Amino acid sequence: MPAKTSFSWDKARRRRFGVWRYRELLPINDDIEPVTMCEGGTPLIRVNRAVNGNVYVKFEGGNPTGSFKDRGMTVGVTIAKHLGVEGVVVASTGNTAASAAAYAARAGLKCVVVLPRGGVARGKLAQSLLHGAKIVEVDGVFDDALEEVFTEAVINGKRDLYPLNSYNPWRLEGQKTIAFEIVDELSEVPEAVVVPVGNAGNISAIWKGFKELYNYGLINKLPKMIGVQAEGAAPLVATWKTGSNALIEVEKPQTIASAIRIGKPVNWLKALNAVKESGGVFITVSDNEILEGVKDLARYEGIGVEPASAASLAGYRKAVEMGLIDRNGLAVLIATGHALKDPDTITKYFSY
Ligand code: AN7
């Protein structure tokens, strides 16, 4: 019997799902074989009830390990494998670790994850264990863990371990595909893209994606980038308010959203530039507003996100209230990670 459709489910076609559909816009030679799990291609879901307005959620919880980190990790681990290193190392508040552990496993590379002791949500820790990463815990917060990786892997030159934190440009190359998908799916450029900000890699990467489309003449306008931080972990908001280009660090960042409990964001300068250039803004939201966001996405929309991700809904509401973005304008909220990442916070605050 001849096939009824013209689809050819060959290897090449499957490899070109999600992030790798945009291979021409990634600076990677065609002869390099990607380490991929078909990440990206995540749902863009119309918001019906959580807010009035023309709003979509880009649900990055739909990625293979449940967060947007997979977009960067597929590219980063592809490069690591190509370089022939023995393994990879990351400092992480949890999602980067989970993603690195999974992609390293797939590539046959070792993986070391450096985590702030007691500061990582249980689902993420479980994923790192599941995929066989070596876990090193550091007393302190994420920023201390990152310093450890930077000192060991970069300064002391442990060349067998390739550092994959978001100062690694390959990660950002993968994450910029969020912008490509938004434009592809909506066939227009939103007025605002709202992004929870921790280390500030994602907001920088998404802006890079939009800028590339603009520079290639594929779009003729750009969105405002709205960066949202938790009140107790808001170095970029503090810096934004001064109007200067000197980062105001937060020594002891605190928020219920452990993913973005970061006081010294490594991509701070890129992110400041992205928000400024786009005509956007950095704003804070409280932990209560974040929890309201989690609840409303879950109960009005059926979308389960971890706390950090709900900062985008909380931030959108605030930005509209403050008149920073148009209530009727098209907006996309980046929901960065899945609810299952952080079962403890959910059972604590949504108990029966
Ligand atoms: C769910 O995993 O930094 O501003 O080590 O997990 O690009 O850092 C996670 C960050 C937002 C912030 N939402 O993104 C890590 C880590 C979720 C996250 C962010 C993170 P960036």
Side-chain angles (χ1 to χ4, degrees), residues 246-281:
L247 178 67
I248 298 177
E249 298 179 349
V250 174
E251 276 312 316
K252 290 198 168 65
Q254 280 173 351
T255 165
I256 196 168
S258 60
I260 52 172
R261 201 180 284 149
I262 294 175
K264 304 170 191 171
V266 72
N267 290 295
W268 63 274
L269 192 53
K270 278 185 213 153
L272 272 183
N273 177 63
V275 170
K276 203 175 291 174
E277 210 184 354
S278 75
V281 67

Side-chain angles (χ1 to χ4, degrees), residues 45 237 285 322-323:
I45 308 168
V237 182
V285 291
M322 293 166 75

